[in-house]
Amino acid sequence: DSGVTQTPKHLITATGQRVTLRCSPRSGDLSVYWYQQSLDQGLQFLIQYYNGEERAKGNILERFSAQQFPDLHSELNLSSLELGDSALYFCASTTRPGDSNSPLHFGNGTRLTVT
Amino acid sequence: GIQVEQSPPDLILQEGANSTLRCNFSDSVNNLQWFHQNPWGQLINLFYIPSGTKQNGRLSATTVATERYSLLYISSSQTTDSGVYFCAVAGWRDDKIIFGKGTRLHILP
């Protein structure tokens, strides 16, 4: 168990809808990363937060947004969903990026299916 | 941004064989990690290794930062080693951790 909790595990929704994915980082970790993994693809970096502030952004669509709350949990909001948004969404946490020996720990992911 | 290339893309081996997976990156890094994604989709951190050599049981990794590559060695492969192995790096400019496309390893019994 990595200590990173993602909910829900599975989500099935229709095109045009909006969903929220939730992530609770490991105890003591201040930074949260979000990744998208489409079928048989690698992990695409979406966005990163550190102690409540956005620190780095990848190729995240304008329809997607995220935030990290004061209790350090994070939410990824996906709106106007399209079939191509179907994927596994991972959250990962770490103590402080760039510090020596600060490994990334992943949650088990949320599998989103858009029909 | 930093580019990460992993090779080979696919590898099929018999149980008991050894293997070497390679990760090349395009710029200097302050963070390099190896992950294993098992057939159930879980991502497990294997090594945090921006430089030097580490060993953990049958697995070991070496990063030569000056030459911009890292190697993951798996010895005496077991069927449970099957899955996808990812290399991920971050540069000095920001905290983005970028993943390579992975090496898919299939160990035959």
Side-chain angles (χ1 to χ4, degrees), chain A residues 33 35 37 40-43 45 48 55-57 90 97-104 106 108, chain B residues 30-31 33 35 37 40-45 48 54 86 94-101 104:
Chain A
Y33 288 75
Y35 290 88
Q37 187 178 35
D40 289 334
Q41 297 294 311
L43 286 95
F45 169 70
Q48 178 233 348
R55 287 283 290 263
K57 213 166 187 176
F90 284 104
D99 279 359
S100 61
N101 200 21
S102 185
L104 205 56
F106 277 84
N108 287 334
Chain B
N30 70 346
N31 184 334
Q33 303 182 47
F35 295 86
Q37 187 169 34
W40 296 271
Q42 293 175 316
L43 280 154
I44 309 299
N45 192 299
Y48 179 96
K54 289 186 177 179
F86 290 104
D94 57 35
D95 293 340
K96 287 182 189 178
I97 299 179
I98 303 301
F99 279 69
K101 293 185 177 180
R104 185 174 296 277

Side-chain angles (χ1 to χ4, degrees), chain B residues 63-74:
Chain B
T63 298
V64 183
T66 53
E67 297 188 22
R68 298 182 184 169
Y69 72 89
S70 183
L71 301 173
L72 177 69
Y73 305 98
I74 305 173

Side-chain angles (χ1 to χ4, degrees), chain A:
Chain A
D1 183 8
S2 68
V4 180
T5 303
Q6 287 189 249
T7 56
K9 291 183 181 178
H10 302 277
L11 201 47
I12 301 174
T13 189
T15 54
Q17 295 299 304
R18 172 189 167 93
V19 297
T20 297
L21 313 184
R22 182 188 169 101
C23 170
S24 294
R26 282 195 330 158
S27 176
D29 284 356
L30 299 177
S31 189
V32 168
Y33 288 75
W34 286 98
Y35 290 88
Q36 179 193 56
Q37 187 178 35
S38 301
L39 191 63
D40 289 334
Q41 297 294 311
L43 286 95
Q44 299 298 315
F45 169 70
L46 295 178
I47 198 164
Q48 178 233 348
Y49 287 85
Y50 177 76
N51 205 18
E53 293 188 5
E54 181 186 307
R55 287 283 290 263
K57 213 166 187 176
N59 294 326
I60 186 168
L61 299 172
E62 286 190 12
R63 300 184 287 109
F64 295 3
S65 64
Q67 55 183 327
Q68 186 179 29
F69 295 87
D71 67 353
L72 301 178
H73 91 271
S74 179
E75 293 181 357
L76 178 66
N77 301 296
L78 315 177
S79 62
S80 303
L81 285 166
E82 302 175 358
L83 295 177
D85 297 327
S86 296
L88 198 50
Y89 290 84
F90 284 104
C91 165
S93 73
T94 187
T95 50
R96 185 185 172 95
D99 279 359
S100 61
N101 200 21
S102 185
L104 205 56
H105 295 276
F106 277 84
N108 287 334
T110 293
R111 184 170 296 282
L112 174 67
T113 302
V114 183
T115 62

Side-chain angles (χ1 to χ4, degrees), chain B:
Chain B
I2 290 182
Q3 304 299 312
V4 184
E5 288 187 5
Q6 291 187 243
S7 59
D10 298 281
L11 195 53
I12 301 175
L13 297 172
Q14 288 292 139
E15 201 167 22
N18 301 328
S19 58
T20 301
L21 282 57
R22 186 176 179 104
C23 171
N24 292 333
F25 41 96
S26 60
D27 203 350
S28 59
V29 299
N30 70 346
N31 184 334
L32 188 146
Q33 303 182 47
W34 283 97
F35 295 86
H36 175 219
Q37 187 169 34
N38 64 26
W40 296 271
Q42 293 175 316
L43 280 154
I44 309 299
N45 192 299
L46 299 175
F47 293 104
Y48 179 96
I49 187 167
S51 63
T53 297
K54 289 186 177 179
Q55 179 155 8
N56 184 2
R58 296 182 295 103
L59 273 60
S60 64
T62 295
T63 298
V64 183
T66 53
E67 297 188 22
R68 298 182 184 169
Y69 72 89
S70 183
L71 301 173
L72 177 69
Y73 305 98
I74 305 173
S75 64
S76 305
S77 298
Q78 300 175 359
T79 55
T80 51
D81 295 330
S82 295
V84 184
Y85 289 81
F86 290 104
C87 168
V89 305
W92 294 91
R93 292 191 185 89
D94 57 35
D95 293 340
K96 287 182 189 178
I97 299 179
I98 303 301
F99 279 69
K101 293 185 177 180
T103 291
R104 185 174 296 277
L105 179 64
H106 190 47
I107 305 298
L108 302 174

